[in-house]
Amino acid sequence: MPTDPVLVVHGGAWAMPDDMVDAHIRGVTNALATGWRVLDRGGSALDAVEEAVVIMEDDETFDAGRGSFLNRDGKVQLDALIMDGATLRAGGVGCVEHLRNPVRAARKILSESPHVYFVGEGAEKLAAEHGLPLCKNEDLVIPREVARLREYQAEAAQHGNDLFAPTISHDTVGAVALDRNGNIAAATSTGGTLNKAPGRLGDSSLIGCGCYADNLSAAVSTTGWGEPIMKLVLAKWTADRISAGNLPEWAAQEAMNHLKQRVNGHGGIIVLNPQGHFGVAHNTPRMAWAYKTVQKQEAGIAREA
Ligand code: ASP
């Protein structure tokens, strides 16, 4: 019997200021519409999360694709992962500098390569060999981010900034989906953290940290301060709570409690199981999220536990 599809997306978790709320809601809603079209016509969860994430990578509101935060050297360096819950196949790219849509490269790795993870030039070469266009790094840099980095570095030189304050924006994007065949998938894409050291890789593109999908447990995508999330392998930790018999709503909230209590981390998470139950939780002041089921669609910037 066909399953009713479900799609959940996020566009980062942080103390998002009021004047950025509309752009975030618009962005996640657009991503939701595109991903839903795939599911609605019987497409796979894998295609749906890829297409939803591409929309947010293309939207300069978010820290993914063009418009991402700049690293210490003023460059955009992108990470992305996509994972198929039916087969456990996954594709990840790290520290790519010449791809507008790193999730597309991650998908090529998942579909076309015997390997799972590529970084830097090797990832870009593989993407180009599979027909994805390469761009200049400057094409990914926007004036807003040049100004933001300059301001951040000036402030840090004077006062020493708290790199990991929850007020620092975390605009990573992600999606989890359930398709009509009962399969789930997840994808996460990011420009990482502002002023990061070149070559630094965060949680987003690491299997089990910022993204995970297994039909036997759940599809998960996280956002937030990457280092603590990595230490807890948080996406897999959350999926394990589901396979132990807990509901995604509970597991999502529990993951945020665990993140705070164990390593003083902050962020947000979306979780979906193959039965179509899902959870959205964050321990930051706000998180951009949206979901759609056959019955209902909602988007918001805060989610009560
Ligand atoms: N988790 C991402 C990272 O640390 C950042 C984010 O979610 O905004 O790379």
Side-chain angles (χ1 to χ4, degrees):
M1 209 172 74
T3 317
D4 281 343
V6 180
L7 180 64
V8 189
V9 304
H10 74 79
W14 54 294
M16 188 188 303
D18 289 345
D19 63 357
M20 294 181 79
V21 165
D22 286 352
H24 280 76
I25 298 276
R26 228 181 359 258
V28 291
T29 305
N30 289 341
L32 196 71
T34 299
W36 186 261
R37 272 197 291 278
V38 175
L39 295 172
D40 199 34
R41 62 166 189 257
S44 69
L46 200 56
D47 285 342
V49 294
E50 179 182 350
E51 296 309 323
V53 165
V54 162
I55 296 295
M56 293 186 281
E57 287 178 337
D58 287 344
D59 184 336
E60 291 173 11
T61 304
F62 301 106
D63 177 32
R66 182 176 149 84
S68 285
F69 295 149
L70 303 181
N71 71 10
R72 205 173 55 197
D73 292 349
K75 277 189 159 186
V76 166
Q77 271 193 339
L78 304 170
D79 313 325
L81 183 84
I82 186 165
M83 188 160 180
D84 177 15
T87 60
L88 298 192
R89 292 182 73 176
V93 294
C95 299
V96 292
E97 296 182 356
H98 304 99
L99 288 167
R100 283 181 183 272
N101 295 114
V103 75
R104 291 249 191 259
R107 177 62 192 273
K108 292 288 182 199
I109 293 166
L110 181 153
S111 304
E112 316 280 345
S113 167
H115 305 303
V116 168
Y117 207 96
F118 285 74
V119 296
E121 278 176 27
E124 291 167 359
K125 190 160 178 275
L126 180 133
E129 281 166 9
H130 287 90
L132 296 182
L134 298 185
C135 65
K136 294 199 196 94
N137 194 257
E138 303 88 84
D139 296 341
L140 303 173
V141 176
I142 63 171
R144 179 191 72 203
E145 294 307 320
V146 174
R148 196 202 300 263
L149 180 68
R150 203 174 291 144
E151 210 172 285
Y152 181 91
Q153 291 182 337
E155 174 81 16
Q158 276 203 325
H159 308 293
N161 278 358
D162 176 4
L163 237 186
F164 302 121
T167 43
I168 299 274
S169 45
H170 289 295
D171 263 337
T172 291
V173 305
V176 293
L178 167 66
D179 64 31
R180 292 199 190 279
N181 291 322
N183 294 317
I184 54 176
T188 306
S189 181
T190 190
T193 47
L194 176 62
N195 198 45
K196 67 185 179 181
R200 176 266 188 192
L201 193 75
D203 61 309
S204 307
S205 66
L206 296 179
I207 288 191
C209 296
C211 185
Y212 194 71
D214 183 349
N215 277 7
L216 298 184
S217 53
V220 182
S221 174
T222 71
T223 177
W225 176 14
E227 280 73 7
I229 294 173
M230 287 156 76
K231 290 174 191 166
L232 297 179
V233 197
L234 195 63
K236 179 66 163 65
W237 184 95
T238 310
D240 287 346
R241 274 33 220 180
I242 312 282
S243 52
N246 299 294
L247 283 172
E249 294 87 322
W250 180 87
Q253 191 52 54
E254 203 52 23
M256 292 299 100
N257 297 342
H258 184 48
L259 181 62
K260 180 72 191 160
Q261 284 158 13
R262 188 71 183 94
V263 284
N264 196 27
H266 59 260
I269 191 165
I270 56 176
V271 186
L272 170 67
N273 73 7
Q275 288 71 44
H277 299 292
F278 63 89
V280 177
H282 54 105
N283 62 6
T284 48
R286 285 174 164 169
M287 174 178 186
W289 56 270
Y291 74 82
K292 188 165 171 63
T293 67
V294 172
Q295 293 84 22
K296 204 171 170 190
Q297 171 172 342
E298 258 191 291
I301 41 94
R303 186 89 181 157
E304 298 307 321

